[in-house]
Structures are given as C-alpha cells and as structure tokens.
Amino acid sequence: MQVYLDNNATTPVAKEVCSELLPFLNEQFYNPSSSYRNADPPAKAVARARGVVARFFGGEGVDSKEIIFTSGATESNNSAIFGALKANPGRRHLITSTVEHPAVLEVFKECKRMGAEVTFVPVDHQGNISLKDFVRALRPRETLLVSIMYANNETGVIFPIENLSRLTKETDQGILFHTDATQAVGKLPMNLNGNFKNVDMLSLSGHKIHAPKGVGVLYIRRGSAWRPIQIGGHQEHGRRAGTENVAGIVGLGKAMELLWEEQAGPVLENIRALRDKLECALLERIPYVHINGRDAPRLPNTTNLSCHFIEGEGILYQLDEYGISASSGSACTSGSLDPSHVLKAMDVPFTAIHGSVRFSLSRFTVEEEIDYVINVFPEIVQRLRNISPYWDQEKNIPRQEKVILCSE
Ligand code: PMP
C-alpha cells in the first residue's frame, strides 16, 4: 500500500486542474504579451485566473491589479520583504517570528547582513507567539515591516494574524504587514477586506493546494510602499518581470476555484476527523509520544509527533519501507543533523526533538490509509526503541531515570 501523508511539502495536482491547464502547454502555447489574435486566449486565461484569486481573497473589494503571479511562495516572500526594504530607505527595523519558513527567516538574516535591524519574536512551548513580546517589538516610525506566517508548516500552529496586523496598524499605520499564508490557504479564513483588512502583503504557493509547482501569488495592497525586485519586463503591471507561466497560472486559478467551492463543504471536517483519529490512536498505543503544539490552535490537516528516545530519520526510513511518505521537518530538509528550528524555538526537550515526524493530510486522504499507519507505526517505534541507547529493552522503559518530558 502507498500512503502519501506529506501534503504540507507538496500536493498532487487535482484532475480538474490538470485538464484546465493542459491546453496552455500545447495548442494555446502563445506568449500572452504577443500582439496577434492567437495570443488572446492565454492572455485572457491569465486575466481570468487573476480575477479568481482576487475573488477568493474578498470579492469585489480586491482589485485584480493587487495580485502578482510569481514562481511560488519562496519568491513571493523574497519579493515582499526585499521590495519593502527597497522602497523605504528611511526605516530599517524589521520584525518576524523565530518559527518562520526558511523562505522568510533566511531573507531576514540577509536583511540583517545588509544593515537592517531584525527582531525575532519568540514562541512558547505550544508554538504560540507571545503577544506581549510582539507589541514590545513594534517601534513607531522605525519599524518598516512585520512578516508573520499564518500557519506553521511543521506543526500546523496558527498565528492570530487578525490581531497581530491590527496591533501593528494601531502602533503605526506606516508599518507594512506581510503574512506567509502558504499552509493556510483553503484551510483558514482570509478576507483582505474583512479579517485581513490590515494585511498589506500575502504570499501563497500553488503546489500546496493541488495546483502545479512553480506558481504562486504575492498580494500587495494598493498604495503600499513597495518596489519590484524582479525587473526587466512589463509583465504583472511591471511588478514581476518575465513571461508568465500561463499553464501554472491557469492551474492555480482552477485550484482556487475548487477551494472556494470546498470551503462551504465538509471536506475540512473530514480531514480533521482523520487527523484526530490518527493522533488519538497513536497516543493510546505508544508510550512517550507527544504532539507538538497540541494545545494551540492548529490546522486541521497537520500533526507533528515527537517519539521520545528515537530518531525521526530512522522513523521516516522505516515508514518508507512500508510505503508511507511523511516528513521529519529537520535533517532531511536542511541536509544537516540539526533538529528543526521550529521545535527548538518551542523548547521541545532533547529526548523528543530528534524523534519528530510530521503527517500532513489532504482532501485525497482516505480512512484506510490512516488505519494502515495506525497499524504499522507502533511496531516501527518499538523496533527503533529496541536499538536506542536511551531505551532499556529488557524492561521496555526509558533507560534514563529522570526524563524531562514536554509539558503537555
Ligand atoms: N512558506 C511556507 C510556510 C511553506 O510551507 C513553503 C513550502 N514548504 C514555502 C513558503 C515555500 O513555497 P514554494 O515551494 O512555493 O517556494
């Protein structure tokens, strides 16, 4: 059996999305900027997708000119942050959190090397951002930009963007607020005229929502002080040069249309029920396991488990042997043996931080897959514990007498 539970890494392209975009790879291949008639259908298709994205974010009130198509969330984040810095030479203070995706965190580190001052706001054991620390970090007339993600890709923990952006604007209307909403799109409400009315910039990625890889969006509110980073062409109203990825954009539009229809439906509740079933069963069957961020508001599709006394990489390897794809959120992505910066920021104890596994579900996940994982996972953990130096195989308990477990 093949079980795919790594949907926060990438998702399969939906059938409807595939059939909508395919013509733009062959018979409608034309460059949308060309002046002849054949170029009309791709140009119109891009315009239509832009309208769909705008509607998704707030209907009539969102202008399609505020939507920039990019190559994905990494580019959107880079462009949002560097573009804000470029347009505001008078302000040099930036704020972010310690648990952002590297596509934000590394950009801020680079800004620091370029002379900006950056405040990294910490999180607590559950992954919640400290509102007190956040407010303390805001500096009227000095802070240029705040960038805080909507939902964490490793733990699924949700940040209160509505509050954070309101507090930012109450401090100083001139501070720009950006959110990386990549993992939250289609799962959490985001209306740029409603709960997100104080958000100036927002990033998302196609391949997390059943559209293809290599396409994303950067929303920039009209009037925001921002300058383009990618220059050398008139495309995207001069804000992102380069021939449009027409097929990708059409696919993204279709994927967002599907999400739009889905929002009213029971899809998310079904995903949550399967995720909860998985968590409950594994907690019941395996000792010394905890769920990172369990008491925080979380995405319905994500669970991040720490299995004490074993290595996440070992677990992933064994899961792979059973045909199960998951992620450990640490060494595999960084190429080093460092534990995840997100779990480190949450102060997950040493015996647990290395044994973390993330399962992320999608609308295509079915109950048989979850049951299969529930069946094989406890065996895998037991097998790895039997060869762990922290585990007493004979007594089947941890070897260390005093083990600090995470506060649950
Ligand atoms: N931000 C977050 C929160 C993500 O989860 C990801 C993808 N892992 C990215 C940014 C980068 O997205 P992309 O692959 O589209 O560049």
Side-chain angles (χ1 to χ4, degrees), residues 8-10 70-77 99-104 149-154 180-184 203-208 212-217 333 358:
N8 287 9
T10 198
T70 65
S71 65
T74 301
E75 181 190 325
S76 298
N77 290 339
V99 296
E100 298 295 311
H101 187 274
V104 165
M149 69 203 319
Y150 195 6
N152 189 275
N153 47 300
E154 290 191 27
D180 177 354
T182 303
Q183 295 294 347
S203 303
L204 70 88
S205 176
H207 72 105
K208 314 286 185 183
K213 294 160 188 61
V215 65
V217 166
T333 53
R358 177 189 71 188

Side-chain angles (χ1 to χ4, degrees), residues 21-280:
L21 70 80
L22 270 176
F24 295 93
L25 293 175
N26 39 57
E27 66 260 34
Q28 304 288 1
F29 68 92
Y30 305 97
N31 188 326
S33 300
S34 298
S35 55
Y36 35 82
R37 253 172 280 169
N38 278 339
D40 283 354
K44 282 193 180 131
V46 169
R48 190 180 166 274
R50 203 184 301 282
V52 170
V53 178
R55 186 175 60 122
F56 182 91
F57 283 127
E60 299 296 301
V62 176
D63 186 343
S64 55
K65 289 204 187 88
E66 295 173 304
I67 307 295
I68 302 175
F69 288 116
T70 65
S71 65
T74 301
E75 181 190 325
S76 298
N77 290 339
N78 271 264
S79 185
I81 299 164
F82 285 132
L85 205 63
K86 195 172 169 186
N88 298 277
R91 294 190 183 212
R92 276 294 173 264
H93 177 239
L94 312 168
I95 299 173
T96 190
S97 81
T98 50
V99 296
E100 298 295 311
H101 187 274
V104 165
L105 217 48
E106 292 301 320
V107 178
F108 274 96
K109 288 181 191 165
E110 184 65 13
C111 291
K112 220 172 144 181
R113 287 189 280 270
M114 290 161 65
E117 196 188 333
V118 185
T119 304
F120 296 93
V121 182
V123 296
D124 65 15
H125 283 308
Q126 291 297 330
N128 289 308
I129 198 159
S130 149
L131 279 185
K132 241 199 211 154
D133 287 330
F134 179 76
V135 171
R136 215 178 295 141
L138 292 164
R139 298 186 201 158
R141 291 177 303 282
E142 274 182 49
T143 305
L144 156 64
L145 169 74
V146 173
S147 179
I148 304 277
M149 69 203 319
Y150 195 6
N152 189 275
N153 47 300
E154 290 191 27
T155 58
V157 170
I158 299 164
F159 283 155
I161 295 303
E162 183 173 356
N163 266 344
L164 298 173
S165 56
R166 181 180 47 77
L167 289 166
T168 301
K169 296 294 177 181
E170 279 171 8
T171 304
D172 177 353
Q173 281 287 337
I175 304 174
L176 289 166
F177 193 98
H178 167 252
T179 186
D180 177 354
T182 303
Q183 295 294 347
V185 175
K187 302 189 184 94
L188 301 175
M190 47 186 90
N191 184 327
L192 289 156
N193 294 313
N195 63 333
F196 273 20
K197 65 175 187 286
N198 291 311
V199 169
D200 301 300
M201 298 192 278
L202 180 148
S203 303
L204 70 88
S205 176
H207 72 105
K208 314 286 185 183
I209 54 169
H210 305 289
K213 294 160 188 61
V215 65
V217 166
L218 172 60
Y219 163 85
I220 303 183
R221 194 176 289 281
R222 199 183 307 112
S224 303
W226 178 89
R227 301 255 301 137
I229 292 301
Q230 189 157 310
I231 52 180
H234 62 274
Q235 294 89 351
E236 301 299 304
H237 305 284
R239 289 174 300 166
R240 197 272 186 181
T243 304
E244 298 88 340
N245 170 5
V246 178
I249 290 169
V250 168
L252 178 60
K254 184 64 188 175
M256 291 189 83
E257 218 166 58
L258 294 175
L259 286 180
W260 181 265
E261 289 159 15
E262 212 175 70
Q263 267 177 353
V267 176
L268 288 177
E269 278 325 302
N270 188 40
I271 292 174
R272 184 190 298 280
L274 291 178
R275 191 274 311 267
D276 290 351
K277 178 177 184 183
L278 177 66
E279 283 187 346
C280 288

Side-chain angles (χ1 to χ4, degrees), residues 338-350:
D338 275 352
S340 139
H341 72 284
V342 176
L343 301 185
K344 257 205 253 181
M346 289 164 70
D347 226 358
V348 174
F350 171 77

